[in-house]
Amino acid sequence: MPQDSTALRLDGQGKPLWLALELTYRCPLKCSWCSNPLDFDDYAERELSTEEWCRVMREARALGALQIGFTGGEPLQRRDLEQLVAYAEQIGLYTNLITSGVGLTDERLLGLKQAGLRQIQLSMQSTDAAMTDELVGAKAHQLKLDAARRIKEHGLPMVLNMPVGRQNIGQVGAMIEYAAELGAEYLELANLQYYNWALINRDELMPTLAALREAETVVQQWREKLGKRMAIYYVIPDYYEGRPKACMNGWGAIHLTIAPDGVAMPCQESRSVPGLDFVSVREQPLDWIWNESPLFRKYRGLDWLPEPCRSCDEREKDFGGCRCQAFLLTGDAANTDPACDRSPHHHLMQAAVHSATKPLRFRKPLVKRVAGVMSTAFMED
């Protein structure tokens, strides 16, 4: 979680240091920026078993993985979560639970702590109940507050994650104050990334640059006030920065995501790119997938880079940017990320910013992540 765009970048030395296990796509929320598919039942029938997940973790550890994130969907929907945490702890992986907090009872929290869970990342959308419930499409605000309180009462380190968009960016100061009073060690003010549902809702979710800079000023004021009491992470979206982020330190560099059905991915969005040859851990060992599969080798390193990236003196900083964003905006994952102002496709990002932030425009309701609306949303655009 970088604090700014110049943060230290890890050299994984060819190892998948960070492993994200998407245990399930089942989730009680309907967030308008979600990255998960809707066919939960199909995935539920194909979810890896407890034994298969343990094998994945064992193979990842042998590859050099150090940290694991149990995520989803909502990972608390898996009844074997405590067992999986215990096994990860047993083989030496640092464990992190990424959760909405819905379902995090005292009983489950104690079970996870006893299993060896090291840290919890809890999502909170607002300090206001009505706004939270509207953004996530469920009566979840009080459940989240209760979960935050329980986490701290039981002495677990906590990252509060606030997805930041147009609707809640004005509450950044209130969120920092709440997190500080609660005793959170970290607050991640995560400006939304525009993929999947967030891309559908981009015009409604994207804040103006003025709002982003104002929030940045608030963040800096609180950093000075709190000192080392709480780390606050805040990064301006690359839609406004003129340079792309170094996505996962480059494709297939330090990050590995495993979907509920066992498909291995360089990032959670890579399945949105057509024509890639995805392989399941049920078909091949993780060592082969990481080191030899065409998928992970396709955009790894620098040799594949197109111009102007290939000749750019910043190519080892951003590795050409995000392949998924390049595909979603240009139709070709091999193109230069339009976030870069040196890209021949940068005008696409400029047009998106103009569309989302132009004054006196008609505003539409957010499209919630529910079945039957995806094609309709695209047709309206």
Side-chain angles (χ1 to χ4, degrees), residues 179-253:
E181 291 175 352
L182 185 66
E185 288 79 11
Y186 311 94
L187 174 62
E188 183 178 13
L189 300 167
N191 278 292
L192 293 172
Q193 302 297 311
Y194 297 101
Y195 308 100
N196 212 316
W197 293 90
L199 183 60
I200 293 174
N201 288 295
R202 185 177 60 190
D203 281 3
E204 311 310 318
L205 290 170
M206 186 182 292
T208 64
L209 180 58
L212 287 162
R213 293 303 185 194
E214 183 176 347
E216 188 175 39
T217 299
V218 172
V219 168
Q220 188 55 39
Q221 291 170 345
W222 274 99
R223 282 176 177 162
E224 293 171 0
K225 180 178 180 179
L226 295 173
K228 296 182 178 180
R229 281 175 50 198
M230 181 177 72
I232 305 173
Y233 301 96
Y234 180 82
V235 180
I236 295 288
D238 54 10
Y239 270 68
Y240 287 103
E241 286 204 310
R243 289 290 185 276
K245 301 291 189 297
C247 184
M248 305 296 183
N249 279 33
W251 180 281

Side-chain angles (χ1 to χ4, degrees), residues 16-240:
L17 300 182
W18 168 252
L19 183 68
L21 302 189
E22 296 181 330
L23 300 181
T24 180
Y25 285 143
R26 289 169 285 156
C27 183
L29 305 184
K30 302 172 183 177
C31 303
S32 297
W33 53 86
C34 184
S35 294
N36 292 340
L38 286 169
D39 48 347
F40 302 150
D41 291 339
D42 290 345
Y43 278 95
E45 294 173 359
R46 292 180 283 143
E47 285 180 10
L48 297 184
S49 67
T50 305
E51 292 73 21
E52 287 174 314
W53 279 122
C54 287
R55 176 175 60 81
V56 167
M57 288 188 281
R58 190 165 58 248
E59 292 181 4
R61 188 71 185 94
L63 275 171
L66 300 176
Q67 185 166 344
I68 191 168
F70 294 103
T71 183
E74 176 48 67
L76 289 167
Q77 302 247 341
R78 288 279 301 216
R79 295 180 179 179
D80 59 354
L81 178 59
E82 290 85 348
Q83 186 177 345
L84 295 175
V85 170
Y87 187 76
E89 171 70 14
Q90 177 186 330
I91 62 175
L93 287 163
Y94 183 93
T95 52
N96 179 36
L97 173 64
I98 303 168
T99 177
S100 69
V102 177
L104 190 61
T105 62
D106 275 310
E107 180 181 6
R108 295 217 71 180
L109 189 54
L110 284 170
L112 289 166
K113 184 177 180 181
Q114 291 170 0
L117 184 66
R118 300 295 188 91
Q119 185 187 75
I120 295 179
Q121 179 175 314
L122 174 68
S123 66
M124 292 190 70
Q125 288 69 33
S126 173
T127 55
D128 175 76
M131 179 174 290
T132 296
D133 295 346
E134 171 61 24
L135 287 174
V136 304
K139 292 288 185 182
H141 184 74
Q142 190 58 51
L143 297 175
K144 290 173 175 290
L145 294 184
D146 292 344
R149 174 183 52 78
R150 289 191 184 103
I151 293 167
K152 294 315 302 174
E153 285 179 353
H154 290 291
L156 278 164
M158 179 173 66
V159 179
L160 275 183
N161 176 280
M162 180 183 181
V164 177
R166 179 192 297 267
Q167 290 74 12
N168 63 359
I169 194 167
Q171 295 193 3
V172 162
M175 191 66 183
I176 296 173
E177 184 174 11
Y178 170 76
E181 291 175 352
L182 185 66
E185 288 79 11
Y186 311 94
L187 174 62
E188 183 178 13
L189 300 167
N191 278 292
L192 293 172
Q193 302 297 311
Y194 297 101
Y195 308 100
N196 212 316
W197 293 90
L199 183 60
I200 293 174
N201 288 295
R202 185 177 60 190
D203 281 3
E204 311 310 318
L205 290 170
M206 186 182 292
T208 64
L209 180 58
L212 287 162
R213 293 303 185 194
E214 183 176 347
E216 188 175 39
T217 299
V218 172
V219 168
Q220 188 55 39
Q221 291 170 345
W222 274 99
R223 282 176 177 162
E224 293 171 0
K225 180 178 180 179
L226 295 173
K228 296 182 178 180
R229 281 175 50 198
M230 181 177 72
I232 305 173
Y233 301 96
Y234 180 82
V235 180
I236 295 288
D238 54 10
Y239 270 68
Y240 287 103

